[in-house]
Amino acid sequence: MAWMQHLWPGSLKNRLFVSVLLFVLVPFSLFQIRNIDKLEFKMQSGIAEQNAAQLEFLKDSFESLKLEVFAAMLQLERQPELRSRLMAPEHFPVEERELFLRNKLLTTKHALMNGTVPLHITMMDMHGHIYTTMTENLEQQTIAADDILGEPEFLRFNQSDEPYFWSIHDPKDLLVKEFPHARLYSFYAKLENIDKTAFGYLRFSLDISAWLSSITNGFQVKQSYYIMDGDGNPVLQTDESWGEAGMDSILPRFRENPEAFFTDSRNHSLYNSVYLPHSGWYLINRFPLEALSGSIRDMKRQLAASFSVTVCLFAGITFAIASAISRPLRSLELRMRELVERNLNVHLPEERYKGESRMLARAFNRMTDDIRGLITRLKAEERQKEAIRFQMLMSQMNPHFLLNTLNTIKWNARNHGDAGTSEICQSLGRLLECSLNTDVDLVHLREEIELVEAYVHIQSFRYDHTFEVRYEVGEDVHYALVPKLSLQPLVENSIYHGLVHMNRGGTISIRAFRLEGMLRLEIEDNGQGTDSGASGSGLARKRKGIGLGNLRERLQLLYKGDARLRLQPLEQGMLVQLDIPLLVSSPYGKEHQHVENSSG
């Protein structure tokens, strides 16, 4: 494919123009030619969507009408006055009873769909009386109730337990005069008491042809509508072109996909359908496509002419835009080469660019400024790190010097027979050794207890052994990991703020045990409470200090909210509870460096 590389332009401007020509204009031209062929289909799709929306509206209106009829039946069934007149008509005067029931039915009829739907209601009691919304009420009474109850629809109540149903039928009995040439869609209901005993029958008869005509008269486009049942039998048709419309071949296609639309080339018609689930019917409309043929041809010619002009203009504009883009990119390329050569003072003149090119130049200048600032900050941080490291080394020297001095004092005291001073120096040396070890944050509980013992030993000398410390530590938590120097500030708090004002009898209890997957550490003393005055000083005991604040901050850093430190006042003294996650480590062979063998 080397010959293609020779044919391909070398400059960005020409490559951009050829790329747009080959990959935009040519495909777009082919695509538009294909779209012209599909234009008719698109228009048909638009009409089909409009027809589908109309069918959905008809479906909603139909289902709404059925729901309103059902609600009207329930309302009539639950009226005590109506029920009493149907169950015991002999207790009411004939004219008053007929007038009352007729008015009830007329009120219900006019409430349904605002009285615009051709609808009639027939009601019968169990004593052979008939009540309807017909105009000629006396003439209607010549038909016996047995004749009506003998119709197949009413006999259905005796053959099944269903209290109500819808049925399509031709007009009979009282309805023949009102609907001589109509198909009726009627709602039959058995009026029942709470104990399921029937006290009457009710029938709502709807002329669905007149209902469909009243709904579709408001549509701008006049079409033909058909209603078919699930077996393909016609329920309703608005014209007599059932066979010519080819409905027998259209219905199976709608059964497979009720939401689709189809065209029939034989009669140049477009069909839409919507399924009525509660009735099992298909509502289908037919739209003639002859009216679209002339408009489609004109639109094809106009589209072809406008597309040709657009292609020519687009080619010229593309070449101009490609030239405008390539010039600032060339300038940017030169500046970036200077940046690669570590010339960080590169800067693009933003006022020479426009639009996206200016934004690109601005972003490039911001990038170079950020790089210079970042390098400056990195140098400053590096110098700061070196200074911090130096201070850390110096801070390690001071405790180490103190540790060596303590060894000297300890041996001097031991040589002069001062055992107490020697023991204090040894305990203080152990505490200093722990502070020097900055490599670990967690230690065994056993080691932490040893540090507490060293601290208590020093304080016992200071306060002349006026208090004692008791340890209750389970063997199963000896090697649990705890924060280093976490118990010492709690014990110090108990001594300085709880036992310092007691002459004798002060006790500090240190307990450690497992509790629901946590390690519970408790420091309890019987010293001064939070409210009682300190002996000889009158000052209330306070528990806050630098040690506790430091411990809380370390717990937050180590456990991220999983540790809890609580101070609970007692009747005498204070209880401090520290809960931390239980982490048990295997014992390790750690050679302790004692004050005796520490060296400078």
Side-chain angles (χ1 to χ4, degrees):
M1 305 297 289
W3 60 273
M4 293 188 62
Q5 297 179 358
H6 294 288
L7 294 178
W8 195 254
S11 64
L12 175 62
K13 177 178 64 174
N14 294 332
R15 287 201 303 268
L16 182 61
F17 176 74
V18 174
S19 298
V20 172
L21 181 63
L22 295 180
F23 300 109
V24 177
L25 291 181
V26 173
F28 186 69
S29 301
L30 298 177
F31 182 72
Q32 286 299 322
I33 293 174
R34 183 171 176 268
N35 282 345
I36 292 175
D37 295 334
K38 285 193 169 184
L39 180 59
E40 185 174 0
F41 177 77
K42 294 296 183 180
M43 296 185 64
Q44 293 175 1
S45 299
I47 294 174
E49 291 179 1
Q50 180 181 358
N51 294 342
Q54 293 178 356
L55 290 178
E56 286 293 334
F57 175 75
L58 291 175
K59 173 185 175 182
D60 295 340
S61 300
F62 185 72
E63 298 295 339
S64 176
L65 176 60
K66 293 179 64 175
L67 288 176
E68 291 181 9
V69 169
F70 181 75
M73 182 273 294
L74 293 178
Q75 186 177 7
L76 292 174
E77 185 181 47
R78 294 172 183 175
Q79 291 186 8
E81 298 88 352
L82 184 143
R83 184 188 301 113
S84 61
R85 285 169 173 77
L86 292 181
M87 294 180 62
E90 66 277 3
H91 295 163
F92 300 89
V94 176
E95 294 182 359
E96 185 273 339
R97 182 186 75 240
E98 291 181 353
L99 180 61
F100 176 83
L101 295 177
R102 176 177 170 80
N103 289 335
K104 284 289 183 182
L105 296 181
L106 289 174
T107 302
T108 302
K109 172 184 176 181
H110 290 295
L112 291 173
M113 302 294 286
N114 298 322
T116 60
V117 180
L119 175 71
H120 284 287
I121 307 175
T122 303
M123 184 171 59
M124 292 167 288
D125 57 21
M126 309 305 291
H127 302 278
H129 300 96
I130 303 173
Y131 311 94
T132 78
T133 57
M134 298 292 183
T135 306
E136 302 288 342
N137 194 35
L138 294 177
E139 182 180 347
Q140 293 160 7
Q141 294 291 345
T142 59
I143 301 179
D146 293 339
D147 296 336
I148 299 178
L149 293 176
E151 297 175 1
E153 290 79 13
F154 284 100
L155 292 177
R156 183 173 170 179
F157 285 119
N158 300 327
Q159 299 170 358
S160 63
D161 296 331
E162 53 185 342
Y164 52 83
F165 58 87
W166 286 89
S167 177
I168 188 76
H169 63 95
D170 295 325
K172 298 180 288 293
D173 54 68
L174 302 173
L175 304 174
V176 174
K177 183 178 180 181
E178 293 291 334
F179 306 103
H181 304 291
R183 296 297 306 276
L184 299 182
Y185 190 50
S186 298
F187 178 72
Y188 295 83
K190 183 192 300 184
L191 302 178
E192 296 179 337
N193 292 307
I194 299 178
D195 57 359
K196 300 300 180 180
T197 58
F199 63 86
Y201 296 94
L202 195 62
R203 179 179 64 189
F204 293 81
S205 298
L206 168 68
D207 184 354
I208 56 176
S209 178
W211 167 81
L212 184 60
S213 298
S214 65
I215 295 295
T216 56
N217 281 338
F219 294 165
Q220 295 181 356
V221 181
K222 302 303 178 181
Q223 307 174 47
S224 300
Y225 293 89
Y226 308 90
I227 297 179
M228 305 179 66
D229 60 17
D231 298 327
N233 300 317
V235 176
L236 175 69
Q237 54 185 4
T238 57
D239 56 27
E240 301 300 329
S241 60
W242 181 272
E244 298 178 0
M247 299 304 299
D248 295 337
S249 61
I250 292 295
L251 183 60
R253 304 173 70 177
F254 283 123
R255 285 197 184 115
E256 297 177 0
N257 189 2
E259 303 298 330
F261 69 92
F262 304 99
T263 57
D264 192 344
S265 58
R266 295 175 300 177
N267 52 22
H268 302 285
S269 298
L270 184 144
Y271 296 89
N272 279 83
S273 170
V274 66
Y275 181 65
L276 306 177
H278 296 92
S279 305
W281 294 348
Y282 290 87
L283 178 58
I284 303 173
N285 69 338
R286 183 170 70 92
F287 179 84
L289 295 175
E290 291 83 358
L292 295 178
S293 301
S295 299
I296 291 176
R297 285 192 297 269
D298 294 338
M299 292 183 65
K300 284 182 178 180
R301 288 192 296 267
Q302 294 176 5
L303 182 59
S306 60
F307 176 73
S308 300
V309 175
T310 302
V311 169
C312 296
L313 292 176
F314 189 73
I317 294 173
T318 301
F319 188 80
I321 293 176
S323 299
I325 293 176
S326 61
R327 285 193 298 270
L329 289 180
R330 178 60 179 171
S331 178
L332 179 61
E333 179 188 4
L334 295 176
R335 296 297 183 272
M336 293 185 70
R337 286 181 181 178
E338 296 179 10
L339 183 63
V340 171
E341 295 174 358
R342 298 186 179 182
N343 182 13
L344 299 180
N345 293 323
V346 175
H347 195 272
L348 288 175
E350 299 179 8
E351 62 278 1
R352 296 183 182 179
Y353 302 96
K354 296 181 181 180
E356 287 78 5
S357 299
R358 175 175 292 182
M359 296 176 61
L360 184 61
R362 187 176 301 166
F364 178 82
N365 293 335
R366 190 182 299 115
M367 180 188 68
T368 57
D369 294 340
D370 291 343
I371 292 175
R372 288 195 297 269
L374 180 61
I375 292 176
T376 303
R377 287 196 298 271
L378 287 176
K379 291 180 179 179
E381 290 176 0
E382 188 65 26
R383 291 193 295 269
Q384 186 179 6
K385 288 181 181 179
E386 293 176 355
I388 293 174
R389 177 62 179 171
F390 179 79
Q391 293 296 329
M392 290 178 60
L393 294 175
M394 291 298 297
S395 64
Q396 288 181 350
M397 291 300 298
N398 294 332
H400 194 72
F401 171 76
L402 291 177
L403 182 61
N404 291 335
T405 304
L406 279 176
N407 286 333
T408 302
I409 297 173
K410 178 193 67 176
W411 287 109
N412 183 60
R414 182 175 295 180
N415 292 335
H416 288 81
D418 190 352
T421 302
S422 176
E423 292 177 358
I424 292 176
C425 291
Q426 185 173 352
S427 298
L428 182 57
R430 294 179 63 183
L431 293 175
L432 286 175
E433 286 180 18
C434 180
S435 65
L436 282 174
N437 185 11
T438 60
D439 296 334
V440 294
D441 295 321
L442 299 176
V443 297
H444 289 150
L445 178 61
R446 178 180 177 182
E447 299 178 19
E448 184 69 12
I449 294 295
E450 293 176 357
L451 294 177
V452 172
E453 291 174 346
Y455 174 76
V456 169
H457 182 75
I458 296 173
Q459 298 299 329
S460 296
F461 273 98
R462 178 180 178 183
Y463 295 105
D464 196 18
H465 304 283
T466 57
F467 63 90
E468 63 174 331
V469 180
R470 300 173 182 174
Y471 301 92
E472 302 176 15
V473 181
E475 295 183 359
D476 57 339
V477 295
H478 277 175
Y479 294 98
L481 296 178
V482 298
K484 182 175 64 176
L485 294 177
S486 58
L487 294 181
Q488 183 270 334
L490 300 179
V491 174
E492 179 183 4
N493 190 66
S494 296
I495 294 175
Y496 281 100
H497 300 287
L499 306 178
V500 68
H501 303 293
M502 298 180 63
N503 294 328
R504 289 288 177 181
T507 302
I508 298 176
S509 298
I510 301 177
R511 294 183 288 270
F513 51 91
R514 297 171 182 257
L515 180 64
E516 297 180 354
M518 305 286 286
L519 176 63
R520 169 69 64 83
L521 301 174
E522 294 183 347
I523 311 296
E524 181 180 356
D525 64 75
N526 62 350
Q528 174 186 336
T530 56
D531 298 327
S532 61
S535 175
S537 65
L539 297 176
R541 178 180 181 178
K542 298 181 181 179
R543 290 284 176 171
K544 297 181 180 179
I546 297 177
L548 289 181
N550 180 278
L551 178 58
R552 290 183 187 274
E553 187 173 354
R554 286 193 291 133
L555 292 175
Q556 176 64 26
L557 292 174
L558 286 173
Y559 299 107
K560 306 300 182 183
D562 292 335
R564 296 181 296 275
L565 177 62
R566 297 183 296 274
L567 279 71
Q568 180 179 349
L570 304 176
E571 293 182 1
Q572 181 176 0
M574 182 71 72
L575 173 63
V576 181
Q577 293 179 336
L578 174 59
D579 293 334
I580 61 176
L582 180 60
L583 303 173
V584 180
S585 174
S586 300
Y588 53 86
K590 177 181 178 183
E591 296 182 0
H592 298 279
Q593 182 182 6
H594 298 289
V595 177
E596 291 83 357
N597 53 24
S598 64
S599 61

